């Protein structure tokens, strides 16, 4: 399958990566950074796996299903953590992560 067939997933992955990178950066500016440590860590994990899967799909990896499962798990965890914080950047990130998790799950079936 060509990467064009995965265009909507690639877009979700990219949007999630951007949202996580923004959330990561914004969390570092929050008054109580220690309270944001789990969010920051998951933002990094999620941005990295989304970026990797986006690139892997583009180059035609044979491991789409396996990587998508891992990505969905990380995106869901990041989304749940971000939902715990009322900062707009966390809420936006949570939405992007949960959308991406859903998109990735479609690749695992």
């Amino acid at each position: 399958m060509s990467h064009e067939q995965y265009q909507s997933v690639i877009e979700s992955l990219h949007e999630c990566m951007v949202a996580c990178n923004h959330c990561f950066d914004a969390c570092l500016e929050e008054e109580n950074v220690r309270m944001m440590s789990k969010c920051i860590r998951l933002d990094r994990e999620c941005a990295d796996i989304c970026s990797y899967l986006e690139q892997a799909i583009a180059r035609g990896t044979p491991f789409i299903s396996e990587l998508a499962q891992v990505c969905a798990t990380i995106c869901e965890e990041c989304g749940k953590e971000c939902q715990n914080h009322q900062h707009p950047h966390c809420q936006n990130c949570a939405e992007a992560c949960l959308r991406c998790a859903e998109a990735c799950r479609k690749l695992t079936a």
Side-chain angles (χ1 to χ4, degrees), residues 64-79:
I64 288 176
S65 180
E66 295 87 350
L67 292 169
Q69 180 59 51
V70 171
C71 191
T73 300
I74 294 171
C75 286
E76 187 172 316
E77 287 301 309
C78 189

Side-chain angles (χ1 to χ4, degrees), residues 1-6 10 13 51-67 107:
M1 290 187 150
S2 68
H3 71 276
E4 287 87 6
Q5 294 169 302
Y6 295 104
I10 289 171
L13 289 163
S51 176
Y52 180 77
L53 182 53
E54 180 181 357
Q55 293 172 56
I57 289 171
R59 69 176 167 264
T61 183
F63 303 106
I64 288 176
S65 180
E66 295 87 350
L67 292 169
L107 298 180

Side-chain angles (χ1 to χ4, degrees), residues 82-109:
C82 284
Q83 284 178 328
N84 293 329
H85 306 284
Q86 294 308 310
H87 310 295
H89 57 85
C90 287
Q91 293 300 307
N92 292 337
C93 188
E95 290 175 20
C97 288
L98 296 175
R99 272 194 313 269
C100 191
E102 185 178 326
C104 286
R105 282 207 176 77
K106 291 177 183 174
L107 298 180
T108 64

Side-chain angles (χ1 to χ4, degrees), residues 3 5 18 24 31 35-37 50 58 60 77 92 94 96 98 104:
H3 71 276
Q5 294 169 302
V18 169
F24 168 83
E31 193 168 308
M35 184 184 80
M36 305 303 295
S37 64
C50 286
E77 287 301 309
N92 292 337
L98 296 175
C104 286

